[in-house]
């Protein structure tokens, strides 16, 4: 049974069982997702085949990254279809070609910086590119920091510290940029998106979000943003409605345009989410949602056995935009 989410210009149909996997393949946690110039979809996941590539109809094209990555976390893509793969398990960012050749590694594999030292990296989470190609890295779980690098991987500057004031972070979990050079940071456990200029000067913040986890900047002229919000993470509010997990679509000023799902908490039913963790959009406006349903299962469904579909294919969803 199909499901429709959203309203008006932001109405989407959930495509059930979109990803078609070869025999013996599985998608467990899909930590992040990216779409290239040919609408090929890259699912960066925590299974045996870390990068699985599909066409826009969900047909399997290839896989790569076996033996290379420790724990998939973030994925972004540049205008040349190079992929920036953030591995919070071995504290690195790897720039790779579309077929998996490593072009650049930032960070020292398996050598984290001291916890909350501010030095890169301790469990980095995601990357974004400036209009001129500088690389921003959110860092992440063991730091409360954003780092800016040259395209060649030389550190230019860093900003941020633990806390809840402007410019401080409580799990800096995701990062995005726009064509004007502004930097958008998902400050997850402070329940906000913070916006900075390209040198890290605080500009403003968007509130009224619940544990913003995934972040996608869409469009150049008419800028919109898609934000993936996690549901409750504590037993005391676990069953409270209207907290997610869900997707929120905003304009460039953070004003809400639409909200997709989340009214009744997490679930496996079509039209519900488990734990949105990565987002991408293709040339037709369709949304791809990577979820960490395996990691999050015991939080959202304590004491319940994890269904097989969560470990095989349920952590990647496609939302097809409906013409209005």
């Amino acid at each position: 049974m199909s499901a429709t989410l959203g309203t008006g210009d932001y109405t989407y149909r959930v495509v059930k069982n979109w990803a078609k996997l070869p025999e013996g393949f599985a998608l467990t946690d899909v930590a992040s997702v990216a779409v290239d110039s040919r609408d090929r979809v890259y699912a960066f996941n925590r299974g045996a085949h870390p990068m699985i590539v599909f066409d826009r109809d969900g047909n399997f094209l290839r896989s790569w990254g076996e033996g290379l990555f420790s724990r998939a976390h973030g994925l972004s893509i540049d205008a040349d279809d190079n992929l920036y793969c953030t591995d919070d398990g071995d504290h690195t960012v790897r720039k790779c070609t579309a077929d998996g050749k490593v072009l650049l590694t930032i960070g020292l594999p398996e050598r984290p910086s001291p916890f909350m030292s501010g030095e890169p990296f301790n469990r980095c989470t995601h990357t974004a590119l400036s209009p001129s190609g500088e690389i921003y890295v959110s860092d992440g779980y063991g730091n409360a920091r954003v780092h800016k690098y040259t395209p060649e991987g030389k550190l230019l500057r860093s900003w941020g510290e633990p806390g809840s004031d402007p410019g401080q972070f409580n799990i800096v979990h995701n990062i995005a940029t726009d064509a004007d050079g502004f930097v958008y940071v998902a400050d997850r456990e402070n329940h906000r998106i913070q916006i900075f200029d390209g040198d890290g000067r605080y500009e403003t913040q968007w509130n009224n979000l619940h544990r913003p986890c995934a972040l996608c900047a869409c469009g150049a002229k008419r800028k919109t943003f898609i934000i993936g919000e996690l549901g409750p993470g504590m037993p005391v509010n676990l069953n409270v409605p209207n907290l997610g997990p869900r997707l929120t679509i905003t304009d460039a000023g953070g004003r809400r345009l639409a909200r997709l799902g989340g009214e009744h908490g997490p679930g496996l039913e079509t039209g519900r989410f488990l734990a949105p963790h990565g987002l991408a959009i293709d040339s037709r406006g369709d949304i791809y949602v990577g979820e960490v349903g395996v990691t999050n299962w015991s939080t959202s469904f304590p004491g319940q056995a994890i269904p097989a579909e969560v470990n095989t294919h349920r952590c990647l969803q496609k939302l097809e935009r409906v013409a209005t």
Side-chain angles (χ1 to χ4, degrees):
M1 185 175 180
S2 63
T4 301
L5 300 173
T7 57
D9 289 340
Y10 303 98
T11 302
Y12 299 85
R13 181 179 67 87
V14 182
V15 183
K16 282 197 68 174
N17 301 320
W18 172 79
K20 304 168 185 66
L21 291 164
E23 185 72 27
F25 274 61
L27 282 170
T28 59
D29 282 336
V30 178
S32 200
V33 62
V35 177
D36 71 12
S37 62
R38 294 167 56 186
D39 277 348
R40 295 175 297 197
V41 181
Y42 298 77
F44 195 31
N45 71 95
R46 296 173 184 166
H49 307 281
M51 192 71 74
I52 299 181
V53 189
F54 303 91
D55 67 17
R56 73 175 319 275
D57 295 318
N59 298 307
F60 173 86
L61 298 177
R62 62 180 173 273
S63 71
W64 51 267
E66 294 84 356
L68 177 61
F69 299 109
S70 174
R71 186 176 186 267
H73 198 278
L75 185 66
S76 60
I77 195 164
D78 66 20
D80 297 317
D81 290 341
N82 295 308
L83 296 149
Y84 296 76
C85 309
T86 306
D87 186 334
D88 80 310
D90 78 349
H91 318 282
T92 62
V93 173
R94 292 180 178 89
K95 177 183 178 181
C96 301
T97 64
D99 58 3
K101 179 183 177 183
V102 178
L103 302 175
L104 173 70
T105 300
I106 306 176
L108 300 174
E110 308 296 340
R111 292 180 61 183
S113 64
F115 179 76
M116 291 296 159
S117 66
E119 297 298 319
F121 299 123
N122 191 309
R123 299 196 65 194
C124 45
T125 53
H126 205 80
T127 61
L129 300 179
S130 77
S132 53
E134 289 100 352
I135 305 164
Y136 295 98
V137 184
S138 53
D139 182 31
Y141 289 119
N143 262 322
R145 205 81 162 147
V146 172
H147 308 285
K148 181 179 182 179
Y149 288 86
T150 68
E152 297 75 31
K154 178 184 177 182
L155 182 64
L156 293 172
R157 61 179 51 86
S158 303
W159 74 86
E161 62 183 7
S164 57
D165 288 339
Q168 297 179 332
F169 302 114
N170 182 9
I171 301 187
V172 50
H173 193 269
N174 211 309
I175 191 165
T177 54
D178 66 15
D180 297 316
F182 290 103
V183 181
Y184 301 76
V185 179
D187 186 10
R188 194 181 82 185
E189 300 305 320
N190 279 329
H191 301 276
R192 63 187 178 183
I193 303 291
Q194 294 196 64
I195 296 94
F196 303 87
D197 73 8
D199 292 322
R201 286 183 284 269
Y202 173 85
E203 297 284 338
T204 188
Q205 65 185 37
W206 302 341
N207 300 306
N208 302 321
L209 298 163
H210 192 265
R211 303 180 70 206
C213 189
L215 182 58
C216 179
C218 317
K221 294 182 179 179
R222 185 188 180 192
K223 286 188 290 188
T224 57
F225 294 82
I226 310 171
I227 302 161
E229 300 173 70
L230 294 181
M234 300 182 294
V236 70
N237 68 342
L238 191 60
N239 297 311
V240 173
N242 298 322
L243 291 178
R246 64 194 177 199
L247 306 186
T248 294
I249 301 174
T250 75
D251 66 12
R255 290 176 287 274
R256 189 191 309 161
L257 301 173
R259 184 162 271 168
L260 312 182
E263 299 90 345
H264 306 296
L268 293 174
E269 300 87 350
T270 305
R272 296 175 78 171
F273 300 103
L274 293 172
H277 197 271
L279 291 167
I281 191 167
D282 69 16
S283 65
R284 303 187 194 183
D286 298 344
I287 301 171
Y288 301 86
V289 187
E291 303 193 75
V292 289
V294 178
T295 295
N296 187 73
W297 186 265
S298 61
T299 298
S300 293
F301 302 97
Q304 297 185 39
I306 187 167
E309 65 185 283
V310 180
N311 274 308
T312 57
H313 63 277
R314 181 55 174 72
C315 289
L316 179 60
Q317 296 199 68
K318 177 173 180 171
L319 310 183
E320 184 177 69
R321 190 164 187 175
V322 178
T324 58

